[in-house]
Amino acid sequence: MKKLLFLSVFMIAFSCGNKKEITQIAAVSCGQCKFELDSEKGCSLAVKIDDKTYFVDGFGIDDFGDAHDKHVGFCNVVRQAEITGVIEGGRFKASALKLVE
């Protein structure tokens, strides 16, 4: 029984350690309007990492101002940001997102 418990704890700890946190400068914009994602309705924040696009969890599209602003809104322009987080379940789980100008 002790071996089974030890093995279970080891496997859980090992699987949790497989998530690799990413910190890099990436393109950020509206997934639907600028990155042509169609798996969600409406406008949602998305990030492009290594030529793959992911919806963002942890920050909303309006957290950085009006998404439909003509000059800086994510539905009209692609902006650059320093992002930190992990890719999990086909989504980017952001712990930090700072726009760079």
Side-chain angles (χ1 to χ4, degrees), residues 2-88:
K2 287 182 182 179
K3 287 182 181 180
L4 181 59
L5 179 63
F6 176 76
L7 184 60
S8 297
V9 170
F10 178 77
M11 289 178 63
I12 291 170
F14 183 77
S15 67
C16 291
N18 283 342
K19 297 176 187 170
K20 185 178 177 193
E21 188 169 71
I22 298 166
T23 299
Q24 70 180 56
I25 303 295
V28 180
S29 197
C30 177
Q32 292 83 347
C33 296
K34 301 307 280 184
F35 292 143
E36 300 178 6
L37 297 176
D38 60 5
S39 60
E40 288 186 10
K41 291 186 178 189
C43 294
S44 304
L45 192 62
V47 61
K48 188 173 269 193
I49 301 169
D50 298 329
D51 294 324
K52 285 189 165 187
T53 307
Y54 305 92
F55 284 115
V56 174
D57 293 330
F59 293 89
I61 195 161
D62 288 314
D63 289 348
F64 302 92
D66 180 6
H68 295 99
D69 181 274
K70 183 182 274 188
H71 303 289
V72 296
F74 286 125
C75 291
N76 293 304
V77 296
V78 177
R79 300 175 73 182
Q80 296 294 305
E82 181 178 16
I83 58 165
T84 301
V86 296
I87 298 169
E88 183 179 296

